[in-house]
Amino acid sequence: MSSVTVSIDPHVHSEGSYDGHEPVELILEHAAEIGLDAVVITDHDVIRESKRAAEIAPEYGLIGIPGVEVSTAHGHLLAIGVDRMPPRGRSYAETVRWVRDRGGVTIVPHPFQRSRHGVRQRNIPTPGSAEDADEPIATDGAPEGGPVGAVEANSGPDPEPAASVAEVDAIEVFNAWLFTGYRNRRARRFAAEHGYPGVAASDAHHLQYVGRAFTELTVEGVDSVHEVTADDVLAAIRRGTTTVEGRRAPIRMAAKHYVGAAGRRSAYYARTGAARGARATKRTAVDGAVAAKVAALQSIHRTRRLLSWFA
């Protein structure tokens, strides 16, 4: 049987997300230039830009796949291949069921990293392991997965046992933003132990990081990447015909990422006019102010923790 390999970055944020920065057109252009076959826009709890990106992706020679990163009661979940926004704030198990009932694929992003709304191990549906527990992990400052001052969505009692529904489809075993590598290694061990397919993703919020980590999928029954559909990609993830590409990506693609992204960003804003450039400048200033506020809150939080040790 014939088969092809496609490269996909399944976890990217656009300006449609409160913490994203780039328009989908620029992301798609960059993804095509660095050799990806698909990129899934997974903004936080909004799906409009992702649907638009999926519609225009073929114009860039890419496979169009919509998606979203939804906030559940237990942590974040990637819903890939859905064109409707899943209900927010429901249990992990219920959200997984909602996505899978609508033909989508569920991927656990940055698992176990509580400071970024990563799900606890006990809330990931596994065969006969609903009682698995996760050691507590401290959270420093505001979570990346929500705006400053947001309430931790996945704290508090668990409203529903995780094993009451079908399992998730894959685990994000390489997230490019986990700098120490500990969480990635732990996610990799967890996926191997329970037989989950592993995927890699950039979790990019800026253009130069798109594709820094990506997943290669083997799609059977086609002779060319141009024949591959979104449904083919979803089926390949479910089958587990995935290869993680993360550690080598910065070396192999560094020049394309950093030099190419800068040039493409400048060219894009030149084409789209000064008005959009002015908005981007304003957004940069706002981002700087938010970053300063987050740093201040983190400093206060750490100081309080330190003082509590001596109380």
Side-chain angles (χ1 to χ4, degrees), residues 148 284-298:
V148 176
T284 299
V286 171
D287 290 342
V290 171
K293 185 175 181 180
V294 170
L297 289 173
Q298 289 177 335

Side-chain angles (χ1 to χ4, degrees), residues 74 92-93 114 119-125 132 158 160-162:
H74 295 124
Y92 216 75
R114 301 293 288 160
V119 63
R120 283 192 172 103
Q121 179 173 322
R122 67 168 173 257
N123 296 123
I124 301 175
D132 285 352
D158 297 335
E160 182 179 347

Side-chain angles (χ1 to χ4, degrees), residues 124-132 162-165 167 194 196:
I124 301 175
T126 58
S129 59
E131 303 303 319
D132 285 352
S164 62
V165 297
E167 301 167 40
H194 296 287
Y196 285 117

Side-chain angles (χ1 to χ4, degrees), residues 22-176:
E22 319 290 359
V24 295
E25 293 88 350
L26 186 53
I27 294 172
L28 294 172
E29 179 182 316
H30 183 67
E33 286 293 327
I34 64 175
L36 292 175
D37 299 304
V39 59
V40 185
I41 303 299
T42 52
D43 293 331
H44 289 288
D45 297 315
V46 288
I47 200 169
R48 178 179 176 180
E49 288 302 289
S50 182
K51 290 172 62 177
R52 190 167 71 84
E55 291 173 358
I56 64 176
E59 298 175 16
Y60 297 84
L62 301 174
I63 306 162
I65 308 170
V68 64
E69 185 169 7
V70 58
S71 299
T72 79
H74 295 124
H76 288 173
L77 177 72
L78 296 181
I80 309 298
V82 296
D83 57 8
R84 291 174 54 197
M85 179 64 212
R88 292 185 57 185
R90 305 287 180 85
S91 73
Y92 216 75
E94 185 178 352
T95 311
V96 168
R97 179 169 58 240
W98 190 97
V99 174
R100 297 194 67 179
D101 283 349
R102 287 156 182 80
V105 160
T106 55
I107 299 175
V108 181
H110 43 73
F112 320 132
Q113 190 176 9
R114 301 293 288 160
S115 62
R116 296 173 63 198
H117 289 247
V119 63
R120 283 192 172 103
Q121 179 173 322
R122 67 168 173 257
N123 296 123
I124 301 175
T126 58
S129 59
E131 303 303 319
D132 285 352
D134 190 20
E135 71 270 15
I137 300 172
T139 300
D140 293 333
E144 186 200 70
V148 176
V151 176
E152 174 71 84
N154 51 5
S155 59
D158 297 335
E160 182 179 347
S164 62
V165 297
E167 301 167 40
V168 294
D169 295 290
I171 306 291
E172 190 178 75
V173 299
F174 190 95
N175 179 294

